[in-house]
Amino acid sequence: MSIPSDITAQAVRFIERTTYEDLPGEALIVGRRCMIDTVGLYLAGSREGSVRILIDDALDQGGSADAPLPGAGSQKVPASLAARVWGTAGHAHDWDDTQVSHDPAHVYGLLTHPSVPPLTAALVVASMLGKVSGRDLMLAFQIGFEVECKISEWMKPLHYRRGHHTSGTVGTFGAAAAAAKLLRLEGEKLAHALGLAASFAAGIRVNFGTMTKPLHVGRACENGVIAALLAGRGFEADPAALDGTWGFFSVMGEGLDAEKAREGFGAPLTIVTPGVSIKPYPSGILTHQSMDAMLKLVLDNDLKPEQVERIRFFAGKNIIEPIRYPVARNHLQAKFSMPALLAMIVLCRRASHHEFEDAFVAGDAMQDLQARTDVINDLEIDALGYDKIRSRIEVTTTDGRTLVQWADERYRGGPSNPISDVGLVEKFRMCAEGVIGDTHQEELLALVRDVDGVADIRNLIKLVSGETEPANA
């Protein structure tokens, strides 16, 4: 099937023409929730070892004082370097939100983590520009979110199956679109920004479970900002880089779904329909139903760790292939290891970012229980298809019982079973703990909750970066 020749032009028209007044009320409500979630994740991620390395590197490089860094105080660095750090921090715990699709031909790994790239690019460019209103920030975020999600939705699953990491590849377009909107790029310059983004897009799944996985998103943010800034200076690229024989869709995924693409951008906005999932656990989204199933099994049976003889986990290839570590040796591998995640639930009855510590994951209890966990590809589950995340857990106890729990196919955190506003705030506070004080947590929450009404978002950026001295961190 030939690739439609007007996808880039459609994107340009959508970015140029969409105004704040075009955004439906539900999009604004969900957008604020996504922002609360993401801002918390910047704070939590700012303490990660990978992010500290990137902060040190950015400060050592120096350059124009465009934007601060999360949790790093008042020093500022060039916009592109700031975007790299903010984006990596937002994805560092693999706890950021996930796009939803109802296409039964889709695979979950093809869906992107949509909020970090456009929000990062918008915040960094806003810092560079100076006074930017919350309405303009929200508009840029929503536009980047939509462009990113529609490109991801229209791509064929081969993109992910070939090993591309969609949040790194497609995320670049989300960042570029958001940055371009705030920079007021139009026409050819806007098309050139998307063309540059198409060549910059990168990220391969072999690096899942390492520091480089969240850096994919950091680089998407960095490259999206660079694409918009260079295009604004007059740097040229192919003005139809998404389309045609050698365009992004063809080269990166051998095509797209032309019928879905004909619906166009914003019809409806993805953030509204089919929506977005806010993640309950800091691990790959493919793991969450199974973790909830294990938690239910543990609580329903008041199962103690010493009562577990063996765990058998049954799932299809859509879970087993990307969640690939048979035994996790560190917290990054644990995010992609069903034995580690199930063991964590048994041992702790929860899995927050505080449990994802190298010392705990490498400890005797975690290593022993992981070794007694079997991951089994169930062909019957495979045959049901990959439109939902399906799995079954069987626990053999030391007294000879076999406890069985199927995962609930309704995703907790998704539009049909969302995390409550209270739960979202609890997650934010957990992320902010130890990074900014209680008073500034409340101030930051209030700013993001009413971001559309904020005349100048610079104080929001200062609170995340730690420019404002914490009250009681």
Side-chain angles (χ1 to χ4, degrees):
M1 181 184 293
S2 63
I3 307 298
S5 59
D6 66 340
I7 301 295
T8 314
Q10 285 185 43
V12 168
R13 288 195 297 271
F14 172 75
I15 297 167
E16 282 181 341
R17 298 176 183 178
T18 302
T19 67
Y20 179 86
E21 288 70 26
D22 294 325
L23 301 174
E26 187 176 353
L28 297 174
I29 291 169
V30 179
R32 294 180 202 113
R33 282 172 55 86
C34 291
M35 285 187 177
I36 290 170
D37 190 50
T38 306
V39 167
L41 294 172
Y42 291 139
L43 295 171
S46 71
R47 296 297 176 92
E48 274 290 286
S50 59
V51 176
R52 301 310 304 179
I53 292 171
L54 294 178
I55 288 173
D56 290 344
D57 177 67
L59 293 175
D60 285 347
Q61 289 192 51
S64 58
D66 295 330
L69 301 170
S74 60
Q75 289 180 277
K76 295 184 178 181
V77 299
S80 59
L81 291 178
R84 180 198 298 175
V85 177
W86 282 72
T88 305
H91 193 56
H93 289 291
D94 214 319
W95 213 354
D96 42 331
D97 56 23
T98 306
Q99 163 191 5
V100 172
S101 173
H102 294 325
D103 184 349
H106 242 33
V107 291
Y108 269 82
L110 182 60
L111 305 178
T112 186
H113 294 276
S115 285
V116 171
L119 184 58
T120 297
L123 286 169
V124 167
V125 171
S127 179
M128 182 183 71
L129 294 175
K131 185 176 180 179
V132 170
S133 72
R135 282 166 63 100
D136 286 343
L137 178 77
M138 176 63 79
L139 176 60
F141 167 72
Q142 293 271 352
I143 283 173
F145 189 109
E146 173 68 2
V147 168
E148 180 180 347
C149 285
K150 282 299 194 291
I151 292 173
S152 177
E153 174 70 25
W154 297 343
M155 292 189 78
K156 292 185 175 179
L158 185 60
H159 179 74
Y160 184 75
R161 293 207 175 281
R162 288 173 62 179
H164 296 292
H165 178 202
T166 315
S167 296
T169 57
V170 180
T172 309
F173 294 100
K181 187 65 176 179
L182 280 183
L183 292 169
R184 304 187 187 283
L185 301 189
E186 295 181 340
E188 284 193 350
K189 286 188 174 182
L190 180 51
H192 292 155
L194 296 176
L196 285 160
S199 276
F200 291 164
I204 54 176
R205 287 166 54 197
V206 71
N207 276 312
F208 282 18
T210 75
M211 287 183 176
T212 301
K213 200 263 189 179
L215 181 58
H216 291 169
V217 178
R219 289 285 287 170
C221 299
E222 175 184 9
N223 287 332
V225 168
I226 290 174
L229 290 174
L230 287 178
R233 289 178 178 271
F235 205 99
E236 297 179 355
D238 191 294
L242 287 167
D243 316 314
T245 304
W246 292 335
F248 178 82
F249 284 110
S250 177
V251 172
M252 298 292 274
E254 295 188 7
L256 83 166
D257 188 316
E259 184 175 346
K260 286 196 293 186
R262 277 193 287 272
E263 297 175 1
F265 295 93
L269 291 172
T270 302
I271 201 169
V272 175
T273 303
V276 62
S277 297
I278 291 179
K279 297 174 76 171
Y281 297 113
S283 58
I285 189 172
L286 296 166
T287 68
H288 294 177
Q289 283 92 332
S290 305
M291 295 168 74
D292 274 350
M294 177 57 89
L295 184 61
K296 185 176 189 307
L297 186 149
V298 167
L299 296 178
D300 286 354
N301 296 278
D302 193 23
L303 186 67
K304 304 296 193 298
E306 61 271 17
Q307 295 175 305
V308 175
E309 181 68 35
R310 196 156 201 92
I311 300 170
R312 302 180 80 207
F313 175 74
F314 298 84
K317 291 185 179 68
N318 61 329
I319 297 178
I320 290 174
E321 287 182 357
I323 311 303
R324 64 193 180 94
Y325 289 94
V327 175
R329 305 296 180 187
N330 58 52
H331 78 285
L332 292 170
Q333 292 179 0
K335 295 175 183 296
F336 298 92
S337 168
M338 284 312 312
L341 297 168
L342 298 180
M344 190 177 291
I345 294 292
V346 171
L347 292 168
C348 303
R349 299 192 175 194
R350 73 173 202 170
S352 75
H353 70 300
H354 296 296
E355 279 69 57
F356 283 86
E357 297 287 345
D358 286 347
F360 176 67
V361 173
D364 291 343
M366 278 285 285
Q367 292 296 304
D368 173 63
L369 194 48
Q370 287 185 75
R372 290 186 282 117
T373 300
D374 303 316
V375 175
I376 300 162
N377 184 193
D378 189 312
L379 298 182
E380 292 184 1
I381 292 178
D382 266 328
L384 294 173
Y386 302 136
D387 57 318
K388 296 181 179 178
I389 303 173
R390 300 177 174 94
S391 66
R392 181 177 79 256
I393 299 167
E394 295 182 2
V395 175
T396 304
T397 65
T398 53
D399 60 3
R401 291 174 295 157
T402 299
L403 308 176
V404 180
Q405 182 65 54
W406 278 86
D408 187 343
E409 294 177 3
R410 279 193 328 144
Y411 177 62
R412 183 168 68 90
S416 64
N417 188 19
I419 291 175
S420 68
D421 289 343
V422 172
L424 180 61
V425 169
E426 288 174 350
K427 178 180 174 181
F428 171 86
R429 291 195 175 111
M430 188 183 300
C431 290
E433 182 182 346
V435 184
I436 61 174
D438 293 346
T439 300
H440 287 159
Q441 287 181 30
E442 295 308 312
E443 185 179 355
L444 183 54
L445 264 175
L447 283 171
V448 183
R449 279 183 176 133
D450 187 36
V451 67
D452 314 57
V454 175
D456 184 351
I457 64 164
R458 279 180 289 189
N459 195 42
L460 187 159
I461 296 170
K462 286 181 179 181
L463 286 165
V464 180
S465 66
E467 287 188 63
T468 306
E469 185 67 25
N472 51 12

